[in-house]
């Protein structure tokens, strides 16, 4: 047999296509509750339960973040997902107190509750130590009804997910795994998760701000609101399907947040943005889901990534200057930017897989990024984008730039007849 090259060998080792289905069992301390992670593709992992004694189904995804599990677990973008942490030790600094800042936002969480459907870790720390901790990760998960499993070979699990892509999974607590024939394998991405995560009412933050920004809530993280307020903006948080066209001139700028699931469900938001693009002259900015919705409104298509980009270590290259930044990301869909619509250009690109990381308009002040400049837990490389956005909003307001073309034309006509 011919000797394999290093590349051929690496591909062989990395392949899970022909491997037998994995059934891994972790010995549980006598008297402790057992938990089971069952993938729809047939693999099973048995370990210890440290969350709620319940069962759930979700899309099994992984994050490479080393820190920030309270922020990740409360990120609405993880709604409907079983969250696998590749960092081996989780829970060692417990769960912080629910302290609020001057804007009324929780300081240490990205929303009011745990958003992921379940938690999967290699090694849960039963004892925690941190000056700000008030409870254990186990107590938190149990209190909020979220099942969690420890003792999983997360390296093997991620190996599977990278090979076959993000997969539906069932996470249950009990002596025996569930009968696979009885599991309702419901794909959360088939639902409009944005509508579930969005606010129902308009909420105003930092009302004394000198510029007024409409923040379209697709499942917003609290630190996005905080970052805009810290820059001096008055923020009106509006529902995902809010009719922004009805009062467009009231906004000095428009911001579209992150959010869970597929962007294709948000047809109302896409329609609103498409109409705004045609007449609005002030700055528009989007993050994560906001990037995808702006892309769809501009004429691009979106596709599902094989296993997504989730973690705090994703490199993105700014195509305007060649600078590479390390970013926090959490998305399973991306824009197909192989052919850009007229008037639009690629803004950032992922240095790992070449996927889209942002778009920008060539003439109007519209741009968006796929990553999270507001990242809690870091990195902080791109936090300046909030300052740039609010500064551009402020400059447009100070320059007296009309909100829409129709207002600009009307003002010009009145001046001509005066």
């Amino acid at each position: 047999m011919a000797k394999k090259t290093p590349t051929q060998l690496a591909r062989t080792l990395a392949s899970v296509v022909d491997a037998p289905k994995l059934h891994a069992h972790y010995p549980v301390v006598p008297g402790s509750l057992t938990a089971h992670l069952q993938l729809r593709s047939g693999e099973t992992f048995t370990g210890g339960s440290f969350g709620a004694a319940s069962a759930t189904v979700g899309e099994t995804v992984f994050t490479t973040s080393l820190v920030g599990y309270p922020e990740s677990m409360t990120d609405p973008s993880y709604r409907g997902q079983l969250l696998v942490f590749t960092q081996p030790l989780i829970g060692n600094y417990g769960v912080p107190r629910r302290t609020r800042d001057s804007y009324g936002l929780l300081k240490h969480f990205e929303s009011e509750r745990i958003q992921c459907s379940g938690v999967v870790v290699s090694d849960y720390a039963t004892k925690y130590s941190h000056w700000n901790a008030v409870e254990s990760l186990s107590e938190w998960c149990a209190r909020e009804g979220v099942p969690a499993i420890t003792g999983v070979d997360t390296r093997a699990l991620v190996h599977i997910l990278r090979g076959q892509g993000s997969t539906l999974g069932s996470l249950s607590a009990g002596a025996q795994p569930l009968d696979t024939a009885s599991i309702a394998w419901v794909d959360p991405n088939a639902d409009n998760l944005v509508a579930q995560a969005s606010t129902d009412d308009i909420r105003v933050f930092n009302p004394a701000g000198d510029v007024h920004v409409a923040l379209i809530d697709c499942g917003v993280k609290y630190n996005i609101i905080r970052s805009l307020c810290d820059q001096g903006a008055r923020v009106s948080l509006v529902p995902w399907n809010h009719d922004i066209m009805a009062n467009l001139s009231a906004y000095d700028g428009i911001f579209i947040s992150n959010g869970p699931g597929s962007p294709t469900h948000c047809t109302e938001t896409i329609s609103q943005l498409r109409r705004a693009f045609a007449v609005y002259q002030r700055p528009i900015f989007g993050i994560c889901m906001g990037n995808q919705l702006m892309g769809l409104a501009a004429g691009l298509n979106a596709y599902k990534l094989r296993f997504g980009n989730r973690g705090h270590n994703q490199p993105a290259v700014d195509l305007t200057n060649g600078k590479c930044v390390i970013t926090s990301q959490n998305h399973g869909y991306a824009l197909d930017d192989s052919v850009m619509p007229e008037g639009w250009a690629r803004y950032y690109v992922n240095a790992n897989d070449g996927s889209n990381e942002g778009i920008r308009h060539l003439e109007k002040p519209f741009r968006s990024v796929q990553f999270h400049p507001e990242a809690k837990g870091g990195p902080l490389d791109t936090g300046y984008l909030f300052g740039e956005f609010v500064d551009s909003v402020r400059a447009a307001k100070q320059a007296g730039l009309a909100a829409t073309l129709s207002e600009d034309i009307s003002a010009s006509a009145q001046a001509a007849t005066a």
Side-chain angles (χ1 to χ4, degrees):
M1 178 182 294
K3 184 178 180 180
K4 291 184 177 180
T5 66
T7 300
Q8 291 173 325
L9 180 59
R11 288 177 177 173
T12 300
L13 293 174
S15 175
V16 296
V17 175
D18 300 321
K21 299 299 181 183
L22 180 63
H23 301 282
H25 297 264
Y26 179 81
V28 178
V29 176
S32 299
L33 190 61
T34 303
H36 310 275
L37 173 64
Q38 301 166 260
L39 299 185
R40 190 176 189 180
S41 50
E43 299 82 3
T44 61
F45 297 83
T46 296
S49 170
F50 70 92
S54 60
T56 188
V57 172
E59 181 185 20
T60 311
V61 302
F62 64 91
T63 175
T64 57
S65 304
L66 301 181
V67 295
Y69 57 83
E71 293 90 344
S72 293
M73 290 170 60
T74 54
D75 179 353
S77 292
Y78 279 117
R79 191 178 185 90
Q81 297 178 329
L82 304 182
L83 182 54
V84 181
F85 288 95
T86 62
Q87 164 69 5
L89 186 64
I90 296 293
N92 52 309
Y93 54 87
V95 178
R97 65 183 75 251
R98 293 174 65 86
T99 307
R100 295 186 183 272
D101 62 17
S102 60
Y103 309 117
L105 303 168
L106 289 171
K107 283 186 176 182
H108 310 295
F109 305 93
E110 292 291 7
S111 67
E112 294 296 318
R113 65 179 184 84
I114 297 175
Q115 297 286 342
C116 59
S117 296
V119 177
V120 181
V121 305
S122 173
D123 186 6
Y124 166 64
T126 56
K127 295 183 179 181
Y128 64 88
S129 178
H130 193 279
W131 67 268
N132 197 37
V134 294
E135 64 181 335
S136 69
L137 178 57
S138 175
E139 291 169 327
W140 187 34
C141 288
R143 179 166 53 80
E144 299 217 8
V146 177
I149 183 173
T150 182
V152 172
D153 185 345
T154 51
R155 294 171 300 176
L157 177 55
V158 169
H159 192 85
I160 292 168
L161 296 178
R162 285 181 59 87
Q164 65 188 24
S166 298
T167 304
L168 290 182
S170 168
L171 179 56
S172 60
Q176 299 295 326
L178 300 178
D179 179 2
T180 54
S182 67
I183 299 175
W185 298 106
V186 178
D187 184 359
N189 293 306
D191 296 329
N192 187 346
L193 298 179
V194 165
Q196 298 177 21
S198 178
T199 183
D200 294 325
D201 305 303
I202 298 176
R203 300 174 61 192
V204 178
F205 298 88
N206 194 34
D210 65 321
V211 288
H212 187 195
V213 173
L215 173 53
I216 300 176
D217 180 11
C218 299
V220 68
K221 295 166 66 176
Y222 278 171
N223 206 35
I224 290 179
I225 303 173
R226 181 182 296 110
S227 297
L228 290 169
C229 292
D230 283 348
Q231 293 296 326
R234 172 191 176 188
V235 177
S236 288
L237 186 70
V238 302
W240 70 280
N241 58 352
H242 180 71
D243 185 5
I244 58 173
M245 295 299 297
N247 199 24
L248 197 59
S249 60
Y251 307 126
D252 300 315
I254 298 172
F255 202 104
I256 309 97
S257 82
N258 64 294
S262 170
T264 57
H265 294 298
C266 303
T267 54
E268 294 172 73
T269 316
I270 295 167
S271 176
Q272 290 278 332
L273 289 173
R274 185 176 294 122
R275 293 169 61 196
F277 286 169
V279 298
Y280 198 64
Q281 301 188 99
R282 296 171 182 171
I284 299 178
F285 196 92
I287 284 179
C288 195
M289 175 63 74
N291 176 61
Q292 295 167 22
L293 296 179
M294 285 183 64
L296 291 174
L300 293 170
N301 293 317
Y303 65 97
K304 196 173 192 308
L305 294 166
R306 189 172 188 176
F307 48 82
N309 287 327
R310 301 177 178 89
H312 294 171
N313 54 356
Q314 288 288 331
V317 178
D318 183 342
L319 297 178
T320 65
N321 57 23
K323 178 182 178 181
C324 182
V325 291
I326 303 302
T327 67
S328 173
Q329 301 194 15
N330 176 13
H331 60 277
Y333 291 81
L335 292 175
D336 179 0
D337 62 3
S338 55
V339 179
M340 292 298 297
E342 183 178 357
W344 292 84
R346 296 188 302 158
Y347 188 13
Y348 282 85
V349 64
N350 190 293
N352 284 340
D353 61 14
S355 61
N356 177 267
E357 292 287 358
I359 60 174
R360 62 185 179 89
H361 198 277
L362 295 175
E363 297 178 359
K364 296 182 178 181
F366 306 160
R367 55 181 178 154
S368 57
V369 294
Q370 187 60 54
F371 50 83
H372 288 269
E374 83 297 339
K376 288 282 277 185
L380 306 177
D381 294 30
T382 56
Y384 62 87
L385 290 172
F386 284 97
E388 289 185 355
F389 169 71
V390 176
D391 284 347
S392 67
V393 171
R394 192 170 286 121
K397 181 178 182 179
Q398 292 173 350
L401 184 65
T404 66
L405 286 172
S406 60
E407 290 178 5
D408 199 10
I409 293 171
S410 176
S412 298
Q414 291 177 10
T417 57

